Amino acid sequence: MSPILAGAVTALAYAVSTLASARATRQIGSPATVAGVMLVGSIVLVPIALTTSPISPVPGVPVEALLWAVLAGVSNVMGLLVAYVAYRIGAVGIVSTIGSTEGAVAAVLSVLAGQALAPGSGPVLVLVVLGVLLAATSGGHEIEEGVAISRAQSLRAAGLAGCAALLFGLGLFIMGRWSTSLPSAWLILPGRLVGLVAVGLPVLVIRRVRIARSAWPFIVAIGCAEVIGMTFYSIGARQDIAVTSVLASMFAPLAAIAAFVLFRERLAPRQIAGIVLVAVGIAILGLLAR
């Protein structure tokens, strides 16, 4: 499968996850949402992992790769916890746009690790940063389902989304680096299990938190979409981390458009301009990486 197709499928899956996350977190909160997502992801991945072998032709690599997969999973779980709080208090279009820079973060990390940066990418990365700053600092005018979002909430959500992007970017980079050493299921499963033990059990058992029945469809959608997205990302990253990461980040404009239609989300003109700058910058990065 080409990195372009894999990145496109990843973007679509993450857009679905984003929209469902915004609904679930507002019903049951961030920790309970993460717990449910980890549970669903583990249920989906365990049968798949048991039918595939983590054995690599290079001696000693599988164990090391599994450890890195755990680290990527921890980074992803922490990113989800932070991002879900942002989706609960901020506008989907803004949070998803800032979070979409995870692909650019992964691309930069791949360059630092030795992969050549495509000519002309530097100015485009600056354009993406400017778009993020414009979208993040122009808050206080958003409206979602008829309810205004205060500037304080908007700025807090933007900051949390930035932190989530760094964590997600690190996870994407690690997955891309080790995607050739492990089957996709084994690359993703350790993180789901870590999240289930570290977040799921304390939330669902110790705190005895119940997930409302109305939230389960969103939880299942998020869990399945996350697995699908990460699976296709790992497949595409085997050939090209930068291209797959950048295209996967296009989930943000998809989520922003869907939020406009489904959630009646309205943003300030400068915020829309920031989203456009980020989307255009990401698209150019994809072309340059090719």
Side-chain angles (χ1 to χ4, degrees):
M1 180 179 293
S2 71
I4 294 178
L5 179 58
V9 175
T10 302
L12 181 59
Y14 283 170
V16 172
S17 174
T18 295
L19 296 170
S21 299
R23 298 299 92 183
T25 54
R26 296 192 180 192
Q27 288 190 35
I28 60 176
S30 176
T33 301
V34 172
V37 170
M38 295 299 106
L39 176 62
V40 171
S42 299
I43 292 174
V44 171
L45 284 170
V46 166
I48 300 175
L50 292 177
T51 60
T52 57
S53 171
I55 303 301
S56 168
V58 182
V61 169
V63 174
E64 183 180 2
L66 285 172
L67 292 176
W68 279 103
V70 170
L71 178 59
V74 171
S75 180
N76 181 260
V77 171
M78 292 176 62
L80 288 176
L81 284 169
V82 176
Y84 288 169
V85 175
Y87 282 123
R88 189 176 188 181
I89 64 175
V92 172
I94 301 303
V95 175
S96 63
T97 296
I98 298 174
S100 71
T101 57
E102 62 183 287
V105 171
V108 170
L109 290 176
S110 67
V111 170
L112 295 177
Q115 184 172 324
L117 183 67
S121 296
V124 180
L125 286 173
V126 173
L127 179 67
V128 172
V129 172
L130 290 176
V132 169
L133 291 176
L134 188 60
T137 59
S138 303
H141 303 86
E142 305 97 313
I143 296 176
E144 186 169 320
E145 296 184 337
V147 179
I149 298 175
S150 69
R151 179 169 177 78
Q153 280 183 300
S154 181
L155 290 175
R156 184 187 174 199
L160 291 169
C163 293
L166 294 176
L167 291 166
F168 287 146
L170 175 61
L172 288 178
F173 168 72
I174 294 173
M175 287 180 62
R177 293 281 289 183
W178 292 97
S179 59
T180 57
S181 301
L182 288 171
S184 298
W186 281 96
L187 190 63
I188 304 169
L189 180 59
R192 304 292 96 174
L193 295 178
V194 169
L196 184 61
V197 173
V199 180
L201 291 181
V203 168
L204 298 177
V205 179
I206 298 177
R207 293 179 57 185
R208 298 180 181 178
V209 174
R210 290 186 177 183
I211 297 179
R213 181 177 299 179
S214 60
W216 273 112
F218 298 115
I219 295 295
V220 172
I222 300 168
C224 292
E226 287 283 322
V227 170
I228 292 172
M230 286 188 288
T231 298
F232 276 88
Y233 173 82
S234 66
I235 293 173
R238 291 171 186 170
Q239 299 182 52
D240 196 312
I241 296 177
V243 170
T244 308
S245 298
V246 168
L247 292 180
S249 299
M250 293 304 290
F251 78 89
L254 293 176
I257 293 172
F260 176 85
V261 175
L262 299 176
F263 306 153
R264 294 179 292 147
E265 191 168 274
R266 301 296 182 265
L267 306 176
R270 286 186 297 176
Q271 291 176 309
I272 296 175
I275 293 175
V276 172
L277 284 178
V278 173
V280 170
I282 289 174
I284 294 175
L285 281 176
L287 293 174
L288 293 176
R290 285 293 297 168

